[in-house]
């Protein structure tokens, strides 16, 4: 009923269950970040210094994650 590609996709989906969450996640301290309310120039500068596609947005007075920006070309 399933093509070989579809079968591979389904098997890979279920393979994730056997792995630790740490294999897919990065600690917040490992991400470049800006504070909520940062200027566009500050965000742009942070993105240019980063090799990652996500910039974390932190609460202005704590290290709580409130959002993120996805960086693209």
């Amino acid at each position: 009923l399933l093509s070989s590609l579809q079968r591979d996709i389904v098997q890979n989906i279920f393979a994730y269950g056997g792995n630790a969450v740490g294999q897919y996640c990065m600690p917040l301290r490992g991400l470049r970040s800006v504070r909520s309310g940062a200027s566009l120039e500050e965000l742009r500068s942070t993105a240019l210094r980063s090799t990652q596609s996500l910039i974390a947005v932190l609460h202005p007075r704590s290290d709580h994650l409130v959002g993120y920006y996805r960086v693209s070309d």
Side-chain angles (χ1 to χ4, degrees):
L1 294 172
L2 296 176
S3 72
S4 63
L5 178 61
Q6 290 170 325
R7 192 170 24 263
D8 288 345
I9 291 171
V10 170
Q11 287 173 342
N12 287 335
I13 288 171
F14 289 110
Y16 285 114
N19 297 325
V21 70
Q23 291 180 283
Y24 307 104
C25 298
M26 175 181 282
L28 188 56
R29 67 183 176 276
L31 289 174
R32 292 275 186 174
S33 62
V34 295
R35 295 286 173 189
S36 178
S39 69
L40 183 58
E41 184 54 39
E42 184 180 351
L43 174 61
R44 183 177 179 277
S45 173
T46 301
L48 288 172
R49 291 189 317 266
S50 180
T51 59
Q52 301 161 340
S53 62
L54 293 177
I55 304 294
V57 179
L58 304 177
H59 188 275
R61 291 180 294 279
S62 71
D63 284 336
H64 293 142
L65 181 69
V66 295
Y68 66 91
Y69 289 103
R70 182 169 300 277
V71 179
S72 63
D73 293 337

